[in-house]
Amino acid sequence: MNYKRNIIITGGAGFIGNHVVRLFVNKYPDYKIINLDKLTYAGNLANLKDIEDKPNYKFVKMDICDFEGVYKLMQDEHVDGIIHLAAESHVDRSIKDPFTFAQTNVMGTLSMLQAAKLYWESLPEKWEGKRFYHISTDEVYGALELTDPQGIEPPFTTKASSGKHHLAYGSKFFTEDLKYQPHSPYSAAKASSDHFVRAFHDTYGMPTIVTNCSNNYGPYQFPEKLIPLFINNIRHRKPLPVYGKGENVRDWLYVEDHARAIDLIFHKGKVAETYNIGGFNEWKNIDIIKVVINTVDRLLGRKEGEDMDLITFVTDRAGHDMRYAIDSTKLQKELGWEPSLQFEEGIEKTVKWYLDNQAWMDNVTSGDYQRYYEEMYKGR
Ligand code: NAD
Ligand code: DAU
């Protein structure tokens, strides 16, 4: 079959990637979606069980740093769009092993860019109809100051932001024109990759787009990140390691809302632009942890709050960024995106998903998920 578009999504077996792959495969049956993923510890094909047999979906196990392999794949599949999510994504790991982050996030992105450049430049129509969309993080902007919470009037109303919890912990927000000031090896590597993407537009004319999103939460997140780790620990009554005093603020967005934004920006975003993605939803870690404890307790039929004593304050993360807060006005105003869920709904759905999918969690924590690929794809 001739597809209308042939799109590579990198990192499609990871947390955000699987939601983006699922959305595109289901919404666009006339697009071929090629999930290019190395299947590191963070990649799990079981995340995509429900769509793996769809005719417009193909999985390719490949390292984004394998320039020759990536270039050949682009040629073989006549790729005209790239949505690049593959990365090392966990700040704590970057503190222990910065080299892997530079290799994957910087060199891997460069390998994707250069392969796309060589392939697209070799075609008669060159850049026309092509798009290289790079998914990045708000952490590249550094950290914002922390003040007492204040009610804010965001420049627009969203279903998510009209909820009960609507506070800002400072008067400054991350806007697209802010200078990059990354602090961790993770965010330094992501910042560098963003610069390379823009350089490929400015130098060669490649049609690129960059987006910087806030913390995502939702189903299929690897349980080394705050929310799934804590849900699982509460279930098993294990200590909850809260870094420092739990005062740090993060701006949380439901992962499917991020995937919807990616779809919109891939199709309607302006070339060479940057868009920030976030739902004006700031929470102190300690407050979100209390909400998670209450929700898990209630859904498990325990007395709400009975697991509060699992909270254990531990040594702070080195260089721990104090506050992230995204201003997504540009995306809202120019492309009409808004988050669909209030945080209270999103967290309820998320906790319920992890409790209902204990087999998925056990598979990940036992390491069994890494054998899924061999079983599913042998002989293919
Ligand atoms: P994740 O760690 O859950 O998944 C990363 C995926 O990339 C995995 O499937 C992994 O196997 C794959 N991968 C890693 N190295 C690879 C390589 N060398 N070649 C091919 N595949 C490789 O990450 P995530 O949380 O889903 O984040 C996805 C992207 O979104 C990242 O670029 C991250 O910086 C960005 N982001 C994440 C968040 C968040 O809250 N999770 C927020 C904003 C931006
Ligand atoms: O802001 C976007 C970023 O959000 C993404 O770019 C990253 O890929 C993603 O991992 C996330 O980074 P954080 O470092 O904010 O997420 P994490 O879940 O690791 O931590 C959230 C907050 O909770 C942070 O302030 C550290 C704290 N924390 C985390 C863990 C894992 C704890 O207190 N204890 C923990 O055990």
Side-chain angles (χ1 to χ4, degrees):
M1 162 167 179
N2 269 339
Y3 286 95
K4 194 168 153 198
R5 299 207 65 165
N6 299 299
I7 298 170
I8 288 182
I9 298 180
T10 70
F15 166 48
I16 302 172
N18 84 79
H19 292 277
V20 179
V21 167
R22 179 175 296 101
L23 177 67
F24 272 70
V25 165
N26 287 331
K27 186 168 171 188
Y28 303 109
D30 50 350
Y31 290 6
K32 183 165 184 186
I33 303 302
I34 301 137
N35 173 11
L36 186 169
D37 198 300
K38 182 183 174 184
L39 299 183
T40 66
Y41 81 93
N44 183 355
L45 285 179
N47 297 351
L48 289 160
K49 255 186 192 161
D50 55 323
I51 56 118
E52 68 191 2
D53 292 326
K54 296 263 180 169
N56 63 333
Y57 172 71
K58 178 173 176 176
F59 172 69
V60 177
K61 186 175 188 311
M62 191 177 282
D63 188 335
I64 53 170
C65 299
D66 173 7
F67 167 75
E68 308 271 328
V70 170
Y71 177 66
K72 183 161 187 315
L73 182 67
M74 287 181 188
Q75 280 183 317
D76 291 349
E77 297 289 352
H78 307 286
V79 167
D80 57 12
I82 293 162
I83 304 177
H84 177 42
L85 294 110
E88 289 291 338
S89 72
H90 190 39
V91 175
D92 292 332
R93 286 182 190 252
S94 83
I95 294 167
K96 294 200 182 97
D97 174 22
F99 280 114
T100 304
F101 282 70
Q103 176 65 16
T104 297
N105 299 1
V106 185
M107 296 308 290
T109 300
L110 185 53
S111 156
M112 292 298 301
L113 285 163
Q114 181 70 356
K117 172 186 178 288
L118 292 186
Y119 172 53
W120 289 342
E121 277 187 342
S122 74
L123 301 173
E125 78 279 10
K126 298 197 186 298
W127 305 120
E128 209 185 304
K130 311 297 188 301
R131 181 146 290 196
F132 190 108
Y133 178 3
H134 176 63
I135 308 299
S136 193
T137 171
D138 60 358
E139 301 199 13
V140 297
Y141 297 118
L144 295 165
E145 61 180 12
L146 185 71
T147 62
D148 286 338
Q150 39 194 288
I152 55 161
E153 278 300 318
F156 56 84
T157 311
T158 74
K159 279 184 217 137
S161 68
S162 59
K164 282 181 279 177
H165 183 92
H166 193 60
L167 299 172
Y169 287 88
S171 53
K172 295 210 174 95
F173 296 84
F174 293 144
T175 48
E176 287 84 356
D177 54 358
L178 218 60
K179 157 174 134 188
Y180 274 28
Q181 279 189 303
H183 295 134
S184 72
Y186 162 67
S187 53
K190 289 297 290 187
S192 171
S193 66
D194 295 9
H195 290 317
F196 269 109
V197 174
R198 295 194 182 101
F200 267 63
H201 171 268
D202 297 351
T203 308
Y204 310 112
M206 181 182 278
T208 59
I209 292 193
V210 177
T211 56
N212 299 82
C213 188
S214 62
N215 285 62
N216 285 215
Y217 71 99
Y220 299 111
Q221 187 168 30
F222 195 84
E224 63 186 350
K225 305 279 171 74
L226 181 77
I227 291 184
L229 174 72
F230 278 31
I231 293 172
N232 198 40
N233 282 12
I234 299 162
R235 181 184 191 123
H236 296 292
R237 296 214 152 105
K238 289 200 210 153
L240 308 175
V242 181
Y243 298 163
K245 295 184 187 146
E247 296 272 292
N248 305 65
V249 169
R250 295 291 181 267
D251 186 354
W252 294 93
L253 182 68
Y254 192 66
V255 63
E256 288 179 5
D257 281 332
H258 188 187
R260 285 176 40 251
I262 290 172
D263 174 22
L264 182 66
I265 294 163
F266 179 77
H267 289 97
K268 303 263 170 63
K270 274 201 221 134
V271 163
E273 290 290 322
T274 297
Y275 299 90
N276 283 351
I277 310 174
F280 290 101
N281 182 39
E282 293 177 53
W283 286 79
K284 273 195 179 182
N285 288 344
I286 193 66
D287 293 334
I288 212 170
I289 288 162
K290 287 178 183 163
V291 171
V292 171
I293 293 172
N294 282 332
T295 312
V296 175
D297 282 348
R298 180 166 41 77
L299 291 177
L300 285 179
R302 299 176 186 169
K303 190 165 160 273
E304 238 180 72
E306 78 171 79
D307 287 312
M308 287 294 169
D309 58 357
L310 295 175
I311 290 177
T312 310
F313 293 98
V314 298
T315 309
D316 208 354
R317 173 185 279 175
H320 199 171
D321 284 338
M322 192 42 98
R323 170 175 172 250
Y324 302 147
I326 276 275
D327 183 342
S328 57
T329 308
K330 177 175 170 181
L331 175 59
Q332 168 78 18
K333 289 212 164 133
E334 292 186 9
L335 300 183
W337 173 87
E338 63 174 54
S340 66
L341 280 185
Q342 287 194 10
F343 185 68
E344 288 74 7
E345 293 171 69
I347 205 75
E348 179 89 12
K349 260 178 98 153
T350 301
V351 171
K352 194 165 176 341
W353 187 87
Y354 285 99
L355 297 181
D356 289 348
N357 289 275
Q358 190 59 37
W360 178 90
M361 181 64 86
D362 291 344
N363 219 20
V364 174
T365 49
S366 68
D368 282 352
Y369 71 106
Q370 288 178 312
R371 285 183 277 284
Y372 187 83
Y373 169 74
E374 275 74 27
E375 309 233 328
M376 277 311 298
Y377 283 81
K378 70 183 161 208
R380 284 202 203 177

